[in-house]
Amino acid sequence: MGTPDFAACSLQKLLDERFDVVGVFCQPDKPKNRGHKLQACAVKETALAAGLPVYQPEKLRDGEALAVLKEFAPDILAVVSYGRILPDDILALPKYGAVNVHASLLPKYRGSAPIQRAVLNGEKTTGVTTMYLAAEMDAGDIIYTAETSICPTETSGQLFDRLAPMGAELLVKTLRAIEAGSAPRIPQDHALATYAPPLRKEEAPIDWTRSADAVLHHIYGMQPWPCATAELGGETFKVFAAVRSERGTAKAPGSVLSAGKGGIEVACGGGEAVCITELQAPGKKRMTAAAYLLGHPMEVD
């Protein structure tokens, strides 16, 4: 049971490792791009390429999904970024229950945007967790975890790409341990739980009153969506890359300190500054700040 690329990686790994995948559940096709043409999710495409039956229920509580599951008669449910809460009757159906791959080190960052929130908050490490599914979101007993460092300039999208195969490997390890009867079961400390709500477009603008490090975390955490934005010289830019500036300043946060070959230096909170090195102007392509400035000089505040 899964929907996006992150989940498709786990499905493909199960197939590569010769697990008997009897069926696949994913979310209904959604309209994409300007033509609003219905587009299959990554899990559906992977499943169809492997000749697997795919079911895309609108609801899970009307009895129809349960009936389909009974026909599949699975030993266990492997749930990865499905995007739906499973009702108790579905969780109770398989002999070995349901396991989930979650892209954080639980109990930290329960919820739908654990990767982005970890980058946005400047975490040094993150990872993946497998757990038994429970009624409460991401609160089930932990089976295994795998940890990795977050690079200082790593975007959420790049971290997604690294964690997806880690999650797939951990799912294989988990299923083999359950089959062998050796899988651990470690209750979460719910007092340590934190939550990772989905990103909103309204969060895109950079808050220049924050520290330089916090601004950098924001720039890299907001990629690939919705992307950090900044108003500079009367234009609203998407900002893709920046570095910490060693220049101290007494100017107001958001002030442009310099604009040249090195990029665009902007004042942050606490007298700090960052230098924007890659951006995208409205109606233009993504480019280096230096390349943009060649044809569009920017006034210094």
Side-chain angles (χ1 to χ4, degrees):
M1 293 177 142
T3 301
D5 292 348
F6 189 89
C9 186
S10 284
L11 173 58
Q12 189 59 57
K13 185 68 176 176
L14 294 182
L15 295 170
D16 292 344
E17 295 290 328
R18 304 290 186 230
F19 281 89
D20 182 15
V21 182
V22 294
V24 171
F25 273 50
C26 60
Q27 293 220 33
D29 296 352
K30 295 210 170 119
K32 288 277 179 88
N33 305 323
R34 290 180 183 175
H36 297 292
K37 197 173 178 181
L38 286 178
Q39 186 171 325
C41 66
V43 164
K44 181 178 181 179
E45 290 178 344
T46 302
L48 292 178
L52 296 172
V54 177
Y55 184 56
Q56 299 173 274
E58 293 280 356
K59 298 176 182 175
L60 292 177
R61 298 180 184 277
D62 58 5
E64 191 177 317
L66 182 63
V68 171
L69 260 181
K70 284 179 178 175
E71 286 182 28
F72 284 145
D75 291 324
I76 194 166
L77 302 180
V79 185
V80 188
S81 300
Y82 181 31
R84 294 280 175 85
I85 301 291
L86 303 188
D88 290 343
D89 55 0
I90 285 179
L91 288 176
L93 177 69
K95 178 181 177 182
Y96 296 99
V99 294
N100 176 242
V101 178
H102 185 72
S104 80
L105 298 173
L106 290 170
K108 288 186 81 170
Y109 297 113
R110 296 176 180 177
S112 59
I115 295 173
Q116 299 97 316
R117 296 295 175 190
V119 178
L120 286 167
N121 291 341
E123 298 285 357
K124 298 288 191 290
T125 59
T126 188
V128 287
T129 302
T130 52
M131 64 175 166
Y132 293 98
L133 273 178
E136 190 183 341
M137 182 177 66
D138 300 330
D141 293 345
I142 291 169
I143 307 169
Y144 293 121
T145 60
E147 189 172 314
T148 186
S149 298
I150 301 175
C151 302
T153 58
E154 189 167 24
T155 67
S156 291
Q158 290 166 336
L159 187 53
F160 259 98
D161 291 343
R162 285 205 300 116
L163 291 180
M166 283 179 62
E169 292 280 356
L170 206 63
L171 178 58
V172 168
K173 177 182 176 181
T174 297
L175 293 176
R176 288 195 169 135
I178 290 172
E179 187 177 26
S182 60
R185 190 166 198 139
I186 305 157
Q188 293 190 40
D189 184 344
H190 303 302
L192 299 178
T194 60
Y195 290 89
L199 265 59
R200 296 172 294 114
K201 206 167 185 179
E202 296 77 36
E203 295 179 75
I206 295 170
D207 179 358
W208 294 108
T209 66
R210 302 179 73 200
S211 70
D213 284 344
V215 168
L216 293 175
H217 298 325
H218 183 84
I219 290 168
Y220 292 108
M222 282 286 165
Q223 296 178 60
W225 187 93
C227 196
T229 60
E231 192 173 314
L232 304 165
E235 294 260 42
T236 299
F237 295 84
K238 288 183 176 179
V239 180
F240 292 98
V243 294
R244 188 184 175 95
S245 172
E246 295 309 313
R247 179 202 293 248
T249 180
K251 289 194 175 179
S255 301
V256 176
L257 305 177
S258 71
K261 287 182 180 178
I264 303 166
E265 275 188 305
V266 185
C268 302
E272 298 180 330
V274 300
C275 184
I276 296 170
T277 56
E278 197 171 349
L279 45 65
Q280 184 176 3
K284 306 279 186 185
K285 290 182 179 178
R286 176 174 171 173
M287 62 182 74
T288 65
Y292 175 79
L293 290 169
L294 285 175
H296 307 84
M298 190 175 290
E299 286 187 23
V300 174
D301 294 323

